[in-house]
Amino acid sequence: MSVLRRATTWEISESESSDVEAKPDLNHSEAVTKTKEAQSSEEKCKTVTATKREFGQTLSTPRPQGSGTPSPGRKRRTKEEIEADRQKAKERKEERERQRAARAQEKEERRQEQLRRREEAENLKSLRPENCLKCLTVRIDPALLQQDGSDVLLDTLATFEWRFSIESQQLSHSITWSRDLPQQGEDGAVSVEEEQVVLVLSVADFMDIVISVRKMLDSEGEETETGSSLSPLLECLNRDAKKVVTLLVTDSELNYRTNACGKPLLDETSQSKLGLKNLDIEEVLVYLQLCKNISLVFLDGWQDVTDHVCALTKALSKRPFKLLTERAELPFCVDGSWASGVRVERDGSGLTEVWSKQIQQLNRVSPAVASAVTASYPSPQLLLQAYQSLASEEERKRLLAGLLVKSGGKERRIGPEISARVYRCFMAQNPQLVLD
């Protein structure tokens, strides 16, 4: 067994000793290098610290007023400048508020205008005959239902799906109409009674009215007796003079004809049955029509009464729309380029052509004649002055007769007829005077 022998003592050779001596020199150079590096890093740290200190002084928070020296980069504002800036900011805010209020007001006005136009469109739509017919109600007195054949009227109204009601009227045996009008409020609609009244009478009632009218005419308009059939009718007309009453005399046995004026008259056979004369019927019709605005119609039976009521109902449904379309003061003056209008500028150019067009409105006055008149009298005022300067009317009528008219290479004079017509147009005091 071999035993390893350890060296207890290091034996250093000369070469190794030389290396040991050289190592301290190497450590010294490394130490010098590390020292230099430490010095340079310390200098860098000092430079960074100084830079941070300067940068911190630059970005430091502003000092309270009166403490320290203000920064030279900012200029201190005066109280006047601060107050001026506040005033400008306040004015800008008020201007924004005004603009916002103006926009809100304009928006509200547009909304109100849209609502107004929508309401007008709805009202106009409701005035159409087909829609207005739905708002009409035919009101029938219950006494009429006791007559034979009155069910024809009810069946016809139900077939057309028209509204009708059975209620007591001011006049017995009468038929009236009411219209529902839209109204803003709690109810939303209001009923208006029409002016038309139809009074269905028998022959006996008609005879009573004729006798009462004859007595009134003989007594020069004195009041009739209380029991007469004419008394409630006259009382109704006295309460409301705008009522338009139509008397429908129904009897299939009576024959009637019309006179030259279109008024219904009984024939001789029917008059003999009633004991009346033609003159009596004429006087009664004249009095009822002219003095009381009452029409008289003879009908065969309830079928004719039904046709008359349906025709009158349709006419009442068309009435509002016709009144609306005829509301214009001058419906014959239609706007458009074809109306041969003349444009007048602010400097007055175009007035001469208007004056010429005005003369051409007269019958048989050509543009050449109008040009001759306007050439001699450039304005209506000059023509009126010329008329007033003449002494006699005959001279005024012949004032324009000698003016020359050039048309188609020929010359002629206006003549006394056209001259007199122009004179009557400008100098006449009667608006209904016929110029020709």
Side-chain angles (χ1 to χ4, degrees), residues 2 9 47 87 99 108 176 188 198 244 294 307 327 409 429:
S2 61
T9 304
T47 304
Q87 186 66 24
Q99 293 178 358
E108 182 66 20
T176 60
V198 170
V244 180
I294 298 176
D307 296 340
R327 187 178 299 177
Q429 302 295 329

Side-chain angles (χ1 to χ4, degrees), residues 81-324:
E81 293 176 349
I82 296 174
E83 187 65 25
D85 293 342
R86 289 178 180 176
Q87 186 66 24
K88 291 180 180 179
K90 184 179 180 181
E91 292 177 357
R92 288 194 297 269
K93 184 178 179 180
E94 292 178 353
E95 182 65 22
R96 288 194 298 269
E97 292 293 336
R98 285 193 298 268
Q99 293 178 358
R100 190 180 296 109
R103 288 194 297 268
Q105 183 179 1
E106 184 178 359
K107 184 177 179 181
E108 182 66 20
E109 290 178 356
R110 287 198 301 267
R111 189 180 69 84
Q112 294 294 337
E113 181 68 17
Q114 291 177 357
L115 291 177
R116 185 184 63 81
R117 291 181 179 179
R118 190 179 297 110
E119 291 178 357
E120 290 181 355
E122 292 177 357
N123 294 335
L124 183 61
K125 186 177 180 180
S126 64
L127 293 179
R128 294 178 180 177
E130 61 274 11
N131 296 328
C132 189
L133 191 59
K134 301 176 182 178
C135 301
L136 284 175
T137 302
V138 183
R139 301 191 300 178
I140 305 172
D141 189 77
L144 290 176
L145 302 181
Q146 300 177 4
Q147 300 183 10
D148 296 336
S150 59
D151 54 345
V152 177
L153 176 61
L154 301 181
D155 295 341
T156 304
L157 295 178
T159 303
F160 289 156
E161 297 182 354
W162 293 351
R163 295 192 307 177
F164 64 92
S165 63
I166 301 173
E167 53 184 293
S168 299
Q169 304 296 322
Q170 295 180 359
L171 292 175
S172 181
H173 299 81
S174 65
I175 301 175
T176 60
W177 288 262
S178 63
R179 186 191 306 274
D180 295 338
L181 299 179
Q183 186 180 17
Q184 300 296 333
E186 297 178 357
D187 298 336
V190 60
S191 180
V192 178
E193 187 175 356
E194 294 290 339
E195 301 172 356
Q196 298 291 333
V197 178
V198 170
L199 188 60
V200 183
L201 300 176
S202 62
V203 177
D205 295 332
F206 173 67
M207 281 292 299
D208 191 9
I209 291 179
V210 171
I211 294 173
S212 300
V213 172
R214 288 300 308 169
K215 288 182 179 180
M216 289 181 60
L217 296 177
D218 295 339
S219 60
E220 297 181 357
E222 294 182 1
E223 293 292 334
T224 59
E225 59 272 14
T226 307
S228 173
S229 301
L230 187 62
S231 299
L233 179 58
L234 297 180
E235 291 178 1
C236 179
L237 294 176
N238 291 333
R239 286 192 298 266
D240 189 358
K242 295 181 179 180
K243 290 291 185 180
V244 180
V245 181
T246 302
L247 301 181
L248 302 182
V249 181
T250 60
D251 196 331
S252 58
E253 297 181 357
L254 294 179
N255 297 321
Y256 63 92
R257 58 183 177 82
T258 57
N259 59 3
C261 299
K263 300 295 183 181
L265 297 177
L266 296 175
D267 60 3
E268 296 179 357
T269 305
S270 300
Q271 291 177 14
S272 62
K273 290 181 181 180
L274 299 176
L276 299 175
K277 297 180 181 179
N278 194 10
L279 183 60
D280 296 334
I281 299 296
E282 287 283 359
E283 291 180 354
V284 170
L285 289 177
V286 169
Y287 174 79
L288 294 178
Q289 180 68 35
L290 299 182
C291 300
K292 300 300 180 180
N293 196 18
I294 298 176
S295 302
L296 180 64
V297 180
F298 292 99
L299 300 176
D300 292 336
W302 269 97
Q303 184 60 49
D304 294 341
V305 173
T306 302
D307 296 340
H308 185 87
V309 171
C310 292
L312 193 53
T313 304
K314 292 181 180 179
L316 290 175
S317 66
K318 299 177 181 179
R319 183 180 181 183
F321 192 77
K322 288 184 177 180
L323 292 177
L324 182 64

Side-chain angles (χ1 to χ4, degrees), residues 362-375:
L362 298 176
N363 191 20
R364 296 190 302 275
V365 174
S366 62
V369 174
S371 299
V373 175
T374 55

